[in-house]
Amino acid sequence: MQHTQCYIKDYPRPQFVRKEWHNLNGDWDFAFDDKNCGEREEWFCSGFPTGMKIRVPYSYQTSASGVERAERHDNIWYRKEVLRPACSADSRLILWFEGSDYITKVWVNGIYIGKHEGGYCRFCFDITDAALKSTETYTLTVKCEDTYDAAQPRGKQKWMEKPYGCWYVETNGIWKTVWTEVVSADRIGRMKFTPNKATYCVDFDAEITGDCRGLELVTQVSREGRLVAENTLVVVRDRFSYSIDLSDDQAQFKIEWWSMAHPALYDLKFVLKRDGKVIDEVGSYFGFRAFYAQKDTLVLNNGPTYLKMVLEQGYCRNSGMTYPDEESIVHELELIKKLGFNGVRMHQKIEDERFFYYADILGIATWVEMPSAYEYRDATVDKATAEWQEIVHQHYNHPSVLAWVPINESWGVPRILNNCREQHFTQALYHLTKSYDPMRPVISNDGWEHTESDIITLHNYEQCPEIFGEFYRDLDKTLSGENISDYVQWRLPFAEGHGYRGQPVMITEFAGIGFDTEQTDGGWGYGSQVRTKEQFAERLSALVRAVRENKRICGFCVTQITDVEAEINGLCNADRTPKADMDAVSYTHLTLPTNS
């Protein structure tokens, strides 16, 4: 596996890499605050009334945290003494959270820094002034607040006392890496880069934090250690755009395209200078690719492509939504490839960004899906819209990300079939996403009851392959709602007032076969459970074959890569052991098209 030039092991932000960083994961002081009295009693100054410890970044519900308490606690506290790095007069100390659910408040040395709302994305605070009030160490205190509010984006986290159906034990508090970096006061704030298929250029949108006067920005693009292009420009404002031509006489077709079969990446280096002195340097990378819907066909770069995806919920047996280490992320993606898939549909979770990094370099397509709320209120609109913008901004530059999914199965919009407000909300999310990213397909409501969608995606858990295949044989009748079926969760493909306009069609959830190989008792999958690995492989292969034989369907997504809690409908057990011999059966019954 070939890493990018900027790669640093365990670095949590692999597409925007600076060298001076510090990982704050590990043991922290910890406390439950069931009376919600900690702020009033100033625990951020005096410390906690308990001697509990927790291992960050694991939620307290998991065994990996060292706490392993499943009961509900809406207010929890963390505290850590942190060695203060050296900071010059013109540098700043930035504290980063990769993910903390749901409201996170921060104090440094007893000084309130700020708060963030949202459970799934990266956010930061400038803690320089407060941290510098100490000498060798500073005290970092964090309070996390969460509730069972169904209007807040929850994903697969339950909102009742006990897990039920396909909703799991919740994840409270810090669940991704916490870290700091020392940066220049004047620095590169954000970089957005867009491959331009029409010009063979990569288009950059840059933001500068601090004073932009007297700055120069140098951009270097290289491929496998060889310089391809370099650009130097004078910075005259804090937001600006520019393009770099990637036409390369040493590339076979003047450009190296990223695809699942050939995940070619370009390395990037951004150097910010003032009077010839380097004041900031950032490493990154990108893939040159174009994925779009052309009439009823999915196109990757210069030709049609077929997506063979698997549903990925990203839960681990002992650590919940948090992968135990970077190696486990690599193992997950390599397992997906070995099982014959070329993509993953991330389901109801915004994954660790290192997952997308390895998808980029291994050549695995990903779809990014918004974790759902479960009732429609004004608060649903406010909370979901704000967090969705963070999600799109954070993941835009990853070449493996091929599509955006802001709503799944009408969750959070339960009356969308004939409710104009809820329809408008999904349309607003579609157009909001397109306003930032016009190059990727957006699916307004994955599964059914679509409004605006670039791909029509359908869910179907019928377990009889013959009935399943017959239902889609006359696809026009299926899309018009004329077909009827008793299969699980059938809903109309379009909300009222909307209909099929010739888009590509995919089956993005199916199979989900119940197969209990670990004698768990009480687990569930769709339809009647199978009892042997031969029965499992036979049914799965027949269901996939029914999809593949329909020439109007452009791809599929099998449910799901692993068992999760009570669900026994994975291709693998929760420990990632495949349920059938990989050498004996291709889970996806694949005869790969040459353009896949």
Side-chain angles (χ1 to χ4, degrees):
M1 182 168 52
Q2 182 67 45
H3 284 289
T4 59
Q5 287 184 351
C6 64
Y7 169 77
I8 298 176
K9 181 172 168 47
D10 297 325
Y11 190 84
R13 192 185 57 193
Q15 271 204 324
F16 203 79
V17 178
R18 292 188 177 99
K19 295 180 179 179
E20 194 169 352
W21 75 290
H22 303 273
N23 194 329
L24 302 188
N25 291 346
D27 290 339
W28 292 50
D29 296 330
F30 183 69
F32 297 121
D33 184 9
D34 294 331
K35 295 181 179 179
N36 199 18
C37 61
E39 288 190 69
R40 184 172 62 255
E41 296 176 0
E42 298 186 342
W43 289 8
F44 47 84
C45 290
S46 59
F48 305 157
T50 68
M52 293 178 67
K53 295 283 186 180
I54 191 170
R55 190 172 304 114
V56 169
Y58 306 107
S59 68
Y60 74 77
Q61 292 91 343
T62 67
S63 60
S65 72
V67 179
E68 198 174 7
R69 300 270 290 273
E71 70 269 15
R72 176 180 178 178
H73 298 280
D74 287 354
N75 299 281
I76 56 179
W77 289 77
Y78 302 79
R79 185 176 185 271
K80 188 178 183 68
E81 290 294 317
V82 181
L83 184 66
R84 184 170 70 82
C87 292
S88 62
D90 59 351
S91 61
R92 309 297 295 176
L93 180 61
I94 309 299
L95 171 66
W96 290 96
F97 293 80
E98 291 297 299
S100 181
D101 200 352
Y102 176 70
I103 294 174
T104 304
K105 298 178 179 178
V106 174
W107 292 261
V108 172
N109 291 333
I111 300 169
Y112 180 67
I113 302 298
K115 74 174 183 178
H116 175 268
E117 181 173 336
Y120 289 92
C121 284
R122 175 186 302 124
F123 58 94
C124 71
F125 301 101
D126 186 330
I127 63 170
T128 312
D129 297 336
L132 289 179
K133 292 183 180 297
S134 57
T135 53
E136 294 184 356
T137 64
Y138 60 89
T139 304
L140 175 59
T141 307
V142 178
K143 181 191 181 190
C144 294
E145 302 171 0
D146 207 349
T147 68
Y148 280 178
D149 181 5
Q152 111 189 7
R154 308 191 61 80
K156 284 300 192 80
Q157 300 180 61
K158 67 180 175 66
W159 63 94
M160 292 191 287
E161 288 299 325
K162 294 186 180 296
Y164 50 92
C166 61
W167 285 272
Y168 318 133
V169 173
E170 65 269 35
T171 298
N172 294 115
I174 297 168
W175 66 281
K176 293 183 184 178
T177 294
V178 184
W179 58 292
T180 61
E181 64 175 347
V182 177
V183 299
S184 171
D186 305 328
R187 60 189 182 275
I188 303 166
R190 291 183 63 240
M191 294 295 299
K192 176 183 177 183
F193 19 99
T194 305
N196 190 324
K197 181 176 181 288
T199 64
Y200 280 10
C201 291
V202 59
D203 301 330
F204 295 91
D205 291 290
E207 294 183 13
I208 301 298
T209 298
D211 184 0
C212 65
R213 292 175 295 181
L215 295 179
E216 283 187 340
L217 178 65
V218 179
T219 305
Q220 296 177 341
V221 183
S222 59
R223 167 87 179 125
E224 296 181 335
R226 178 177 57 83
L227 186 67
V228 173
E230 184 169 353
N231 172 281
T232 301
L233 56 84
V234 176
V235 177
V236 296
R237 58 200 309 263
D238 58 2
R239 290 182 176 86
F240 54 93
S241 302
Y242 61 103
S243 296
I244 295 180
D245 188 345
L246 295 182
S247 299
D248 184 0
D249 291 337
Q250 296 190 42
Q252 185 175 2
F253 296 103
K254 302 300 181 183
I255 202 82
E256 291 284 354
W257 294 93
W258 185 96
S259 69
M260 288 83 84
H262 180 63
L265 296 175
Y266 289 86
D267 290 292
L268 284 170
K269 181 186 288 186
F270 302 105
V271 181
L272 195 63
K273 298 180 180 181
R274 176 175 281 131
D275 299 327
K277 179 184 177 183
V278 175
I279 63 171
D280 191 23
E281 185 173 308
V282 173
S284 190
Y285 67 91
F286 70 94
F288 199 93
R289 62 100 185 86
F291 179 73
Y292 52 95
Q294 183 172 293
K295 297 183 179 179
D296 62 354
T297 301
L298 294 175
V299 176
L300 178 63
N301 301 330
N302 294 310
T305 194
Y306 193 94
L307 292 180
K308 305 171 292 292
M309 306 179 80
V310 65
L311 198 73
E312 169 67 88
Q313 303 202 68
Y315 275 74
C316 300
R317 176 168 282 166
N318 298 319
S319 55
M321 291 203 302
T322 309
Y323 281 100
D325 49 41
E326 194 168 294
E327 289 73 19
S328 62
I329 295 174
V330 176
H331 178 267
E332 188 91 336
L333 287 164
E334 289 180 336
L335 174 64
I336 287 167
K337 290 195 72 171
K338 288 176 183 176
L339 292 177
F341 299 101
N342 64 8
V344 293
R345 176 179 162 225
M346 295 305 307
H347 187 46
Q348 292 300 296
K349 176 191 178 188
I350 303 304
E351 193 50 85
D352 187 307
E353 196 169 345
R354 292 172 297 173
F355 187 99
F356 294 97
Y357 167 78
Y358 282 105
D360 292 340
I361 64 176
L362 290 171
I364 299 175
T366 60
W367 286 15
V368 176
E369 178 181 309
M370 177 70 191
S372 294
Y374 292 95
E375 65 175 323
Y376 186 79
R377 304 285 183 189
D378 289 348
T380 309
V381 177
D382 295 339
K383 295 173 185 293
T385 302
E387 194 159 359
W388 180 241
Q389 290 181 87
E390 291 183 340
I391 290 166
V392 175
H393 289 184
Q394 182 174 327
H395 297 87
Y396 178 91
N397 289 335
H398 286 284
S400 63
V401 174
L402 297 191
W404 304 109
V405 183
I407 299 285
N408 173 73
E409 287 190 350
S410 303
W411 292 348
V413 284
R415 297 171 295 274
I416 189 176
L417 179 64
N418 49 27
N419 184 290
C420 289
R421 285 184 64 198
E422 296 180 11
Q423 290 184 17
H424 287 317
F425 179 47
T426 65
Q427 291 172 292
L429 287 172
Y430 172 91
H431 289 292
L432 176 65
T433 309
K434 285 291 192 180
S435 72
Y436 189 83
D437 182 5
M439 70 174 178
R440 287 184 177 93
V442 179
I443 295 93
S444 67
N445 187 15
D446 201 306
W448 48 64
E449 296 173 340
H450 289 266
T451 55
E452 296 287 336
S453 284
D454 297 315
I455 305 171
I456 303 306
T457 56
L458 304 173
H459 297 177
N460 181 340
Y461 283 109
E462 170 60 57
Q463 294 296 297
C464 174
E466 290 76 19
I467 296 174
F468 176 81
E470 183 61 30
F471 186 79
Y472 296 104
R473 198 166 309 283
D474 189 336
L475 191 60
D476 290 323
K477 284 188 176 181
T478 304
L479 294 169
S480 68
E482 292 181 48
N483 283 0
I484 59 174
S485 173
D486 60 358
Y487 69 71
V488 177
Q489 293 181 311
W490 169 242
R491 305 272 283 271
L492 291 172
F494 293 95
E496 290 182 2
H498 300 268
Y500 184 58
R501 302 194 311 273
Q503 303 101 310
V505 177
M506 292 181 62
I507 310 300
T508 50
E509 282 189 34
F510 75 112
I513 302 164
F515 183 26
D516 186 359
T517 62
E518 297 185 304
Q519 308 301 312
T520 57
D521 296 326
W524 70 273
Y526 293 97
S528 59
Q529 293 187 23
V530 298
R531 300 301 175 188
T532 68
K533 64 181 182 180
E534 289 78 16
Q535 292 174 340
F536 178 73
E538 181 180 358
R539 185 189 296 179
L540 180 60
S541 293
L543 287 168
V544 174
R545 187 162 56 250
V547 176
R548 293 300 304 269
E549 289 173 350
N550 191 318
K551 302 305 180 185
R552 291 187 60 187
I553 293 175
C554 297
F556 61 80
C557 179
V558 172
T559 300
Q560 61 182 327
I561 186 62
T562 69
D563 292 349
V564 183
E565 294 193 11
E567 291 186 54
I568 54 170
N569 55 7
L571 304 180
C572 303
N573 298 318
D575 65 1
R576 277 54 183 174
T577 303
K579 292 182 177 179
D581 298 331
M582 285 193 289
D583 292 339
V585 59
S586 171
Y587 275 133
T588 50
H589 196 76
L590 298 181
T591 301
L592 299 181
T594 57
N595 57 4
S596 292

